[in-house]
Amino acid sequence: MKLRVRSELVYRFDPPTDAIYQFQVAHWPGQDILEETLITTPQVTFTEDKDAEFGARTLRAHLEGEVALTYTAVVENGVLQGLPPVALQHDWNDLPAEVLAYRLPSRYCPSDQFGRFVERQFGDSTGGERVLAILEWIKDNIDYEFGVSDSETTAARTFIDRAGVCRDFTHLGITLCRASGIPARAVSAYAHLLDPPDFHAIFEVWLSNGWWLVDPTGLAPIEGLVRIACGRDAADIAFLSTQGVCEMVSQSVTVEPA
């Protein structure tokens, strides 16, 4: 599917502070960037980095005052497929070394606290069938609601509050999958048909010797996702991280067929 993505980020950095952006389309197998532009106002000299494993790209700089970044890209994201229930779960001894870290608890995903729950709730299923059962449980039990969570909310808090936004849904999904012995990691993406449009947090699971994208909110079709970055949880995929405080002036994200 060929998509045109656009994001405009206008933030005020007062006092000046170090900042890291992560909103450019990733260089990922099967995801081809056909064209892209980045405009900054005022002009900023960034240090650009590319993650060798994930193809994610970051921009670093010491910023002050109001800074506007406008990014556009045309992307062919290939043919993304939904997770089949027959996808196989692997024994840990059979996992690739680079996947092992995504079995473990992380800052926002305390999976070690949910072992008893997943066995009671999903004990009769494994692999793709269990992941789909987890997604169904989240759909039935967690409300999509703004203002319930903040940047410190963990999956354990969302499990109690039973409400949150896409990053909370993703953290809970990752947590329940890891508690089930299934490697899972967070993904940030541009998402076609997401309403309201914004950067979208989803996750992927390692089954049948590959990563499968899933959207625990059910708000965006898998075939319309464009990968930006991935990592253990939201701490690794934030579109903007700063050493000090910053203020959002405006922000917009659009995704449409190209």
Side-chain angles (χ1 to χ4, degrees), residues 132-145:
L132 294 175
I134 287 170
L135 297 179
E136 189 66 22
W137 185 91
I138 292 173
K139 175 185 175 183
D140 292 342
N141 291 276
I142 309 298
D143 297 327
Y144 196 92
E145 186 174 337

Side-chain angles (χ1 to χ4, degrees), residues 124-187:
D124 294 334
S125 60
T126 62
E129 185 182 2
R130 176 169 288 204
V131 175
L132 294 175
I134 287 170
L135 297 179
E136 189 66 22
W137 185 91
I138 292 173
K139 175 185 175 183
D140 292 342
N141 291 276
I142 309 298
D143 297 327
Y144 196 92
E145 186 174 337
F146 293 97
V148 175
S149 60
D150 57 29
S151 61
E152 299 301 318
T153 300
T154 67
R157 184 74 249 176
T158 300
F159 184 79
I160 294 170
D161 291 341
R162 298 297 168 104
V165 292
C166 62
R167 76 175 247 150
D168 306 305
F169 278 57
T170 283
H171 284 155
L172 186 54
I174 289 171
T175 298
L176 298 180
C177 286
R178 290 178 184 170
S180 301
I182 300 171
R185 65 188 184 189
V187 177

